[in-house]
Amino acid sequence: MKLSIGHLFPELLNLYGDRGNIISLRRRMEWRGMEAEVTEYKLNDNIDFSKLDIVFLGGGSDREQLLVCKRLGGIREAFKDYVEGGGVVIAICGGYQLLGHYYKLKNELVPGLSILDIFTESGVGRLIGNAVIKADFSDVPIVGFENHGGRTYIGDHKPLGKVLFGSGNNGSDGGEGVIYKNVIGTYLHGPLFPKNPHLCDMVIKNALEKKYGKAELAPLEDEAEYKANSFIVNKYTRK
Amino acid sequence: MRRIIAVWVTKFLILIGRLGGKGGSSTPGHFALKICPNILKFLSGQVRDGIIAVCGTNGKTTTNNLLCTMLRAEGKKVVCNSLGANMLEGVVTAFASSADLFGRLDADFACIEIDEISAVKVFDHFIPKSMIITNLFRDQLDRYGEIDITVDYLKRAVEKAKNITLILNADDPLVAAFGKKTGNPCVFFGVGEDVGISLNETKEGRFCSFCGEELSYRFYHYSQLGDYGCGSCGFSRPEVRFEATEVNISEGLSFNVDGRRIHADYRGFYNIYNILAAYSAASHAGAELKDLQSVLGGYKPQVGRMETFFIGKPVVFNLSKNPAGFNQAISSVSGDGRSKDVVVVINDNAQDGRDISWIWDVDFERLKDVKAKTFTASGIRHCDVMVRFKYAGLENTKDTGDVLKAIEDALKTDSEVLYVLVNYTALFSTQKILKRLEGDYKSGKGGRWE
């Protein structure tokens, strides 16, 4: 079995070790005898969403985000169709903000793609630090590091998880990230997948099921990954 | 009177600190400022020929110490924060410790390394005559947010100092664009030919700072450094006053600059930039640098910059605190043909930056072909390093939070050399361990590694 992963604009959106997520997806498929074909898209490349099984959007600085936004505006409809049709999307930090209607900065409004009914506003000070969240799909928490000036409000959408430690989407409503169909948006980097193999596997499974109808993932030996995960969980949530 | 008391207190606290064996030196300056808020203005005002500031992500300490050594070789008296304490308090400590008990300072120059974010604060106390910017890479992400924020802080600092000359790395498009935007007089240095060392790594700042287009490169050195140009607005690598040519990095470092051949017995291509930056600043300050070769020969790289120990076998110790620095260290490791072990120590204390996600921007994959006997993950975040090793496909890996044990075990193999790569807060503690082990070995207690 094989998945095509589209890494959107890694030259612009690749803050905080984001490429570690791609490395995780690729390795965890290879270890199971499956193939991951990763295509890196440059800003002016043509993107055919029908050929992709996973779309990955990383984080960038505000300047870089603006450049991406201008470009993505032109392919918004195709992207939206991909999402509504159950396409898998992982969007981190800046990429997450882009999925919403807008990101309101002090003197500027960065329009988003309106893929999801969410929006972001800049707040006073950045929300920085290790974070631990609890998602519905597993008893093992998701850990990561957040570093964002924007506060995201997800309205009626479901958050990826409940904040056990850290700030989450906006520091006030106790939610972190968003999960809609097969889209996951989150502020957590660290990067996200290496210390959260359960989440990475869920994403791979979703993409395989979308493509092949059903999929079973062979278990892997994840001692190192969960040791790194529980180091953060224990340090920040156990008194 | 307050000034004198402030100087006394600083000197006293430095002494206490030394007795306690502490490596850093910002606490004394902190108290000096409390006692006398204008202590730094007062002391720095006594420097006769000018202050040279050194900023930039990597290479500050080496560049600053080289510059200081070059000026001292000219017979100049120089104040220098040589230990790398580079926030406002550390700068105060450096000046106060150089003053006499009456608060008098006898100095021709001051070479002061300043943290990029702190420069705007430090420039309230003095305006340097010139300022080096070595490069602008990602570093300590969670403290600075993003590289754009760092640039913004530097801009605010330079706005306070419209007349200072900027001594800039022409090969770094972020630095060159920064200089161009300030309108200050700029002197550029750079490496003007392809040295054939470029890697596949994350390149921040590869987009034009003026119009946002992707820059095209004639050649890369590493990170975003190289010979670049913007096809859209015409921004390109500026004209270089101090250009390194005929570069040879196979045996130490040699290159031509300013019509002379320079040779240094250091490892690491990036040291060419450190030498060039210091040379440019010293030359700009009027130094003739006749004895340059002996200065470079006698210069000892400071703590943890490819520092070597001998503990039954050579041990190479290097500080690598961000992807650019770490990839350079990996180049050195993979370029060393000897059989080896590698220990990586990563902490996440406040001064390191709590966020260590940058280890995924480091090309650990390149160590796969190195065939080390062992790769050991250590430090506070050894679990994360271990995961990184695993996904890079490295074999013979192990991890322990105990740095002493990591090093002792790695010394027991029959490899010819041990590399110890650490990040910032692991620097002094690991150096202490290595010094002690070296001392034990020399005094005959080290037989267990034979």
Side-chain angles (χ1 to χ4, degrees):
Chain A
M1 290 200 268
K2 176 180 162 183
L3 291 178
S4 296
I5 301 170
H7 190 181
L8 266 48
F9 324 127
E11 290 185 302
L12 285 163
L13 301 180
N14 190 6
L15 270 183
Y16 314 126
D18 274 340
R19 73 174 190 156
N21 294 310
I22 300 291
I23 297 174
S24 276
L25 286 168
R26 186 198 284 277
R27 302 288 284 170
R28 298 186 70 77
M29 290 194 64
E30 286 170 355
W31 288 333
R32 293 177 167 113
M34 298 185 278
E35 194 189 334
E37 183 190 70
V38 180
T39 309
E40 296 194 348
Y41 290 96
K42 289 189 164 193
L43 203 53
N44 294 316
D45 289 349
N46 187 38
I47 304 171
D48 181 356
F49 284 98
S50 69
K51 298 249 161 62
L52 293 177
D53 303 307
I54 298 177
V55 168
F56 183 86
L57 273 165
S61 67
D62 294 346
R63 168 174 57 96
E64 293 164 334
Q65 223 167 294
L66 254 173
L67 286 170
V68 169
C69 191
K70 277 185 203 151
R71 161 73 180 126
L72 280 181
I75 53 169
R76 182 193 171 268
E77 288 311 316
F79 194 13
K80 174 93 178 162
D81 289 347
Y82 171 82
V83 167
E84 293 302 330
V88 175
V89 178
I90 307 302
I92 311 233
C93 207
Y96 170 33
Q97 294 170 346
L98 279 173
L99 297 181
H101 296 302
Y102 59 82
Y103 177 15
K104 195 171 159 196
L105 294 160
K106 245 181 274 167
N107 312 312
E108 202 171 4
L109 190 82
V110 181
L113 295 168
S114 295
I115 302 283
L116 302 181
D117 190 16
I118 66 178
F119 65 93
T120 304
E121 292 175 347
S122 67
V124 180
R126 295 181 75 83
L127 305 174
I128 302 176
N130 285 286
V132 181
I133 68 169
K134 170 73 183 69
D136 286 344
F137 74 92
S138 169
D139 288 336
V140 180
I142 296 170
V143 301
F145 197 96
E146 56 182 332
N147 182 350
H148 50 110
R151 272 66 167 172
T152 297
Y153 299 90
I154 63 169
D156 294 335
H157 280 298
K158 192 172 166 258
L160 173 63
K162 201 176 105 211
V163 176
L164 302 181
F165 182 83
S167 299
N169 282 333
N170 46 53
S172 57
D173 67 16
E176 203 297 315
V178 70
I179 185 159
Y180 169 76
K181 294 196 171 184
N182 279 332
V183 178
I184 291 175
T186 176
Y187 275 119
L188 300 185
H189 60 265
L192 180 67
F193 288 152
K195 283 199 290 292
N196 300 296
H198 50 330
L199 182 63
C200 186
D201 283 355
M202 185 183 88
V203 167
I204 293 171
K205 193 160 185 280
N206 287 345
L208 288 171
E209 282 175 353
K210 164 91 181 15
K211 187 168 185 179
Y212 297 102
K214 63 172 188 177
E216 279 304 316
L217 290 186
L220 295 174
E221 186 274 294
D222 287 328
E223 195 193 333
E225 289 88 337
Y226 285 118
K227 215 172 133 191
N229 177 295
S230 58
F231 173 81
I232 297 296
V233 173
N234 291 335
K235 186 163 177 180
Y236 295 101
T237 65
R238 305 268 154 84
K239 293 290 172 270
Chain B
M1 191 60 203
R2 290 177 84 90
R3 290 166 184 167
I4 293 177
I5 294 171
V7 170
W8 286 359
V9 167
T10 311
K11 285 180 175 293
F12 179 68
L13 288 173
I14 292 170
L15 191 67
I16 300 275
R18 270 193 203 135
L19 293 176
K22 262 193 67 184
S25 55
S26 58
T27 321
H30 173 79
F31 284 103
L33 279 171
K34 282 253 163 9
I35 296 163
C36 176
N38 68 356
I39 182 77
L40 185 53
K41 201 174 228 169
F42 168 72
L43 292 172
S44 61
Q46 300 177 54
V47 176
R48 287 183 289 272
D49 293 343
I51 301 171
I52 303 168
V54 181
C55 282
T57 315
N58 285 356
K60 280 194 287 284
T61 307
T62 302
T63 300
N64 194 48
N65 290 356
L66 268 171
L67 174 60
C68 175
T69 312
M70 286 178 190
L71 292 172
R72 280 181 183 152
E74 304 271 302
K76 303 291 184 190
K77 289 190 170 142
V78 187
V79 176
C80 177
N81 52 345
S82 58
L83 279 177
N86 60 17
M87 304 207 192
L88 178 61
E89 295 78 9
V91 174
V92 173
T93 305
F95 275 99
S97 66
S98 304
D100 70 10
L101 288 173
F102 302 100
R104 289 178 305 212
L105 192 75
D106 174 21
D108 299 301
F109 287 98
C111 300
I112 303 296
E113 148 182 6
I114 308 174
D115 165 85
E116 294 75 69
I117 303 295
S118 303
V120 66
K121 264 196 272 175
V122 173
F123 286 11
D124 282 336
H125 299 263
F126 63 75
I127 300 292
K129 206 167 186 176
S130 60
M131 173 159 107
I132 296 172
I133 302 179
T134 56
N135 47 55
L136 292 166
F137 300 134
R138 291 181 192 179
D139 188 19
Q140 303 187 24
L141 295 165
D142 59 325
R143 191 153 70 86
Y144 295 172
E146 291 152 5
I147 191 118
D148 292 356
I149 299 175
T150 309
V151 172
D152 197 51
Y153 267 96
L154 272 178
K155 193 173 128 230
R156 281 163 50 197
V158 174
E159 274 164 7
K160 291 182 175 173
K162 278 327 256 182
N163 295 322
I164 71 172
T165 302
L166 300 174
I167 296 169
L168 304 175
N169 187 340
D171 298 350
D172 184 336
L174 282 174
V175 171
F178 175 82
K180 206 172 164 192
K181 283 179 183 171
T182 61
N184 282 48
C186 298
V187 174
F188 288 98
F189 60 89
V191 178
E193 62 191 27
D194 190 356
V195 188
I197 52 158
S198 66
L199 316 168
N200 170 33
E201 56 178 322
T202 299
K203 300 171 183 82
E204 181 147 15
R206 271 188 47 193
F207 290 81
C208 178
S209 298
F210 292 95
C211 70
E213 273 302 305
E214 186 175 352
L215 296 171
S216 56
Y217 277 79
R218 202 158 66 82
F219 55 79
Y220 277 123
H221 298 307
Y222 65 95
S223 209
Q224 75 269 19
L225 307 185
D227 186 0
Y228 51 85
C230 174
S232 169
C233 74
F235 167 62
S236 65
R237 182 176 184 263
E239 194 178 320
V240 175
R241 164 72 185 81
F242 297 98
E243 182 104 88
T245 54
E246 291 179 47
V247 176
N248 185 334
I249 54 170
S250 57
E251 302 228 339
L253 306 167
S254 337
F255 56 93
N256 291 346
V257 66
D258 233 5
R260 65 165 91 188
R261 186 81 181 156
I262 288 180
H263 176 81
D265 209 11
Y266 313 152
R267 283 164 189 277
F269 171 76
Y270 56 90
N271 272 315
I272 294 179
Y273 284 113
N274 297 330
I275 297 168
L276 271 178
Y279 181 91
S280 309
S283 191
H284 181 260
E288 289 182 36
L289 300 165
K290 281 189 189 132
D291 293 328
L292 183 64
Q293 208 43 64
S294 64
V295 168
L296 290 174
Y299 174 79
K300 267 197 179 162
Q302 71 285 14
V303 184
R305 270 67 162 193
M306 289 295 170
E307 192 178 0
T308 51
F309 295 83
F310 192 85
I311 313 171
K313 64 173 89 168
V315 178
V316 183
F317 177 48
N318 195 50
L319 170 70
S320 302
K321 52 187 178 174
N322 50 30
F326 222 111
N327 280 327
Q328 285 289 292
I330 284 176
S331 292
S332 302
V333 173
S334 60
D336 184 335
R338 292 174 289 183
S339 60
K340 57 183 80 72
D341 294 272
V342 179
V343 173
V344 174
V345 186
I346 300 291
N347 286 346
D348 67 350
N349 292 311
Q351 285 167 294
D352 298 306
R354 299 269 180 206
D355 181 10
I356 59 152
S357 54
W358 60 268
I359 64 174
W360 290 83
D361 286 327
V362 175
D363 286 322
F364 280 102
E365 283 77 3
R366 295 181 62 234
L367 287 175
K368 218 167 30 181
D369 305 324
V370 161
K371 299 268 180 272
K373 287 260 159 53
T374 60
F375 290 101
T376 309
S378 193
I380 297 171
R381 296 298 291 269
H382 60 93
C383 298
D384 284 76
V385 176
M386 195 63 179
V387 175
R388 183 69 190 96
F389 282 175
K390 178 176 174 182
Y391 282 80
L394 304 186
E395 286 167 11
N396 307 318
T397 58
K398 48 187 184 170
D399 73 319
T400 167
D402 182 342
V403 181
L404 173 63
K405 185 176 169 3
I407 292 172
E408 281 185 328
D409 285 352
L411 283 167
K412 283 176 194 157
T413 74
D414 58 3
S415 304
E416 293 164 90
V417 59
L418 168 62
Y419 276 88
V420 181
L421 312 179
V422 305
N423 74 337
Y424 190 70
T425 65
L427 179 65
F428 289 106
S429 55
T430 308
Q431 190 208 30
K432 218 163 148 182
I433 289 170
L434 291 171
K435 273 189 172 160
R436 201 180 74 222
L437 292 176
E438 186 178 57
D440 286 354
Y441 177 79
K442 282 183 178 156
S443 65
K445 282 187 276 179
R448 56 196 151 132
W449 293 299
E450 292 298 309

